Amino acid sequence: MTELTVSGNMVASVHYTGTLPDNGEIFDSSEGREPLSFLVGHQQMIPGFEEEIMGAAVGEKREFTLTSERAYGERDEAAVLQIPREQFAQLEAEAALEPGMQLVAQMPHGPSPFTITEVSDETITADFNHTLAGKALTFNVEIVELRAASDDEVSHGHAHGPDGHQDH
Ligand code: ZN
């Protein structure tokens, strides 16, 4: 019997910790949670993450640093918008607007998260870039479980949980 390794159309369950190489800050981790399960080869993950764990077997650990192009992409300054403050009047009646606040705009193509970066009397500066855009990211990954995906998972393009029984 050949050993299973991470490859296309496998469901991989992994534990991971993501840190910013600049300052060591942890931005995301599966520690204390269930491992993350995903279908390999269907753009469920940022591209570099999958590429770096290809061929790994269960129990194997890998550490790698991705440039922003292989993670969440470059920042796009055109995605930083000045929005008239009066459009936030309804929200502002309930909560003070502050830099760093994360909100979701209902756009024609669906919900778009953004971060308020500046608040002035007249305008709100809203940054629609992913908070990790433009950043290099370091990951420590351990492969916890591997199995072949079911036909349903492959046609849906996502994993149905660690054991394949969570359809959705
Ligand atoms: Zn499904």
Side-chain angles (χ1 to χ4, degrees), residues 121-164:
D121 290 345
E122 298 292 318
T123 57
I124 298 294
T125 307
D127 187 349
F128 284 84
N129 286 290
H130 191 285
T131 53
L132 294 172
K135 293 188 167 138
L137 306 177
T138 297
F139 287 95
N140 275 279
V141 181
E142 179 181 2
I143 313 299
V144 178
E145 211 181 315
L146 284 172
R147 63 174 173 80
S150 67
D151 292 345
D152 274 356
E153 289 173 315
V154 172
S155 68
H156 291 192
H158 54 230
H160 290 161
D163 56 7

Side-chain angles (χ1 to χ4, degrees), residues 76-99:
D76 176 8
E77 292 314 315
V80 180
L81 304 181
Q82 307 285 329
I83 303 172
R85 188 163 175 172
E86 62 200 27
Q87 290 189 19
F88 292 83
Q90 202 180 346
L91 180 69
E92 233 175 332
E94 289 161 31
L97 300 178
E98 284 171 3

Side-chain angles (χ1 to χ4, degrees), residues 26-147:
I26 295 174
F27 62 84
D28 192 14
S29 177
S30 64
E31 208 171 301
R33 304 199 303 243
E34 292 294 306
L36 172 73
S37 297
F38 62 96
L39 178 62
V40 178
H42 292 256
Q43 279 111 42
Q44 286 210 279
M45 304 295 286
I46 53 175
F49 189 95
E50 279 194 351
E51 287 162 17
E52 293 291 340
I53 63 169
M54 282 295 177
V58 173
E60 199 171 329
K61 293 178 182 176
R62 290 193 181 175
E63 178 179 346
F64 49 86
T65 296
L66 304 177
T67 56
S68 56
E69 305 89 82
R70 299 177 71 210
Y72 289 93
E74 291 304 322
R75 280 183 53 78
D76 176 8
E77 292 314 315
V80 180
L81 304 181
Q82 307 285 329
I83 303 172
R85 188 163 175 172
E86 62 200 27
Q87 290 189 19
F88 292 83
Q90 202 180 346
L91 180 69
E92 233 175 332
E94 289 161 31
L97 300 178
E98 284 171 3
M101 263 178 107
Q102 301 202 327
L103 299 169
V104 179
Q106 299 306 323
M107 306 291 253
H109 59 270
S112 293
F114 66 94
T115 306
I116 292 178
T117 55
E118 242 183 277
V119 177
S120 77
D121 290 345
E122 298 292 318
T123 57
I124 298 294
T125 307
D127 187 349
F128 284 84
N129 286 290
H130 191 285
T131 53
L132 294 172
K135 293 188 167 138
L137 306 177
T138 297
F139 287 95
N140 275 279
V141 181
E142 179 181 2
I143 313 299
V144 178
E145 211 181 315
L146 284 172
R147 63 174 173 80

